[in-house]
Amino acid sequence: MFYLSLIEHTLRLPPHLLHLPLAEALKAELEALFIDKVIEKLGFCISVYDISSIKGGFVFPGDGASTYTVEFRLIVFRPFIGEVIVAKLIESDANGLRLSLGFFDDIYIPVDQLPNPSRFEAVPNTRNQGRWIWDFGGEEDQSDEPQFVIDGRDQSVIYHSIPLEQPENSKPFAPMVITGTLNHDGLGAVSWWEEAEMIEDES
């Protein structure tokens, strides 16, 4: 899920940071450039772990900033195919579920990856909002529980290019989207399987 990636980057160090120790100033600038950003094929940037080397310090004519080439390690979030993660439900509509890890909110469970059979129950006077209900053995379990275990066996991680234009009323642009499934034993709302274990213990 989390990786240390070695990166080399050339950056300008603004004059207002020159009063700081060099490594501290460069780390602050790197964090401003990378943290909460997505690098294609690498993942979602969490934190600058450390700085391995610093080269340069050149001041180019007409520029008051010094320029450095920095080699550093970056902590990135990139789930692998087949990974099982725990996330919280933040949205439920006719297209499926949207889940969050707290620091990353673009995890989607499409309708065809919900437990089968499931049905959608719309909330009156809302735009496409509602809840998904899993019908099994004549009983119902709702998919609006706050915590889910998500399987990544059929998961994909897709990186999107920044669009030139965003249509009106469209969802916010997401440069990295994770698609998962709940349609396997042991997946779904954590409470579903806690109740199942309790029933087994009682029997």
Side-chain angles (χ1 to χ4, degrees), residues 30-106:
L30 288 169
E31 288 176 341
L33 289 170
F34 288 93
I35 302 308
D36 291 335
K37 306 293 194 308
V38 170
I39 301 176
E40 187 174 359
K41 307 302 181 184
L42 191 63
F44 181 77
C45 302
I46 302 293
S47 176
V48 175
Y49 184 73
D50 61 13
I51 293 177
S52 305
S53 69
I54 301 171
K55 300 176 183 177
F58 305 108
V59 178
F60 294 100
D63 189 356
S66 51
T67 300
Y68 293 89
T69 297
V70 184
E71 190 177 81
F72 63 101
R73 289 191 295 175
L74 193 64
I75 300 174
V76 297
F77 165 69
R78 184 179 71 250
F80 57 84
I81 304 302
E83 184 169 8
V84 176
I85 58 178
V86 178
K88 291 186 177 181
L89 177 68
I90 58 174
E91 187 177 349
S92 175
D93 61 25
N95 298 314
L97 307 178
R98 183 184 178 195
L99 308 173
S100 172
L101 293 172
F103 61 88
F104 184 81
D105 296 338
D106 293 307

Side-chain angles (χ1 to χ4, degrees), residues 74-185:
L74 193 64
I75 300 174
V76 297
F77 165 69
R78 184 179 71 250
F80 57 84
I81 304 302
E83 184 169 8
V84 176
I85 58 178
V86 178
K88 291 186 177 181
L89 177 68
I90 58 174
E91 187 177 349
S92 175
D93 61 25
N95 298 314
L97 307 178
R98 183 184 178 195
L99 308 173
S100 172
L101 293 172
F103 61 88
F104 184 81
D105 296 338
D106 293 307
I107 304 173
Y108 294 90
I109 310 296
V111 173
D112 62 349
Q113 294 300 326
L114 292 171
N116 188 36
S118 293
R119 58 185 172 83
F120 182 68
E121 190 175 90
V123 175
N125 303 319
T126 63
R127 184 182 177 183
N128 210 28
Q129 299 297 304
R131 61 181 181 176
W132 283 92
I133 297 174
W134 177 25
D135 294 315
F136 69 101
E139 299 183 17
E140 296 181 353
D141 260 323
Q142 300 173 7
S143 64
D144 55 0
E145 296 286 345
Q147 196 171 43
F148 280 78
V149 176
I150 307 161
D151 183 19
R153 279 172 285 185
D154 298 324
Q155 179 179 308
S156 66
V157 180
I158 300 174
Y159 299 91
H160 294 133
S161 300
I162 299 175
L164 297 178
E165 294 184 6
Q166 279 277 86
E168 283 190 38
N169 301 321
S170 63
K171 292 185 176 180
F173 171 68
M176 174 176 151
V177 173
I178 298 170
T179 301
T181 178
L182 301 180
N183 195 21
H184 293 285
D185 288 343

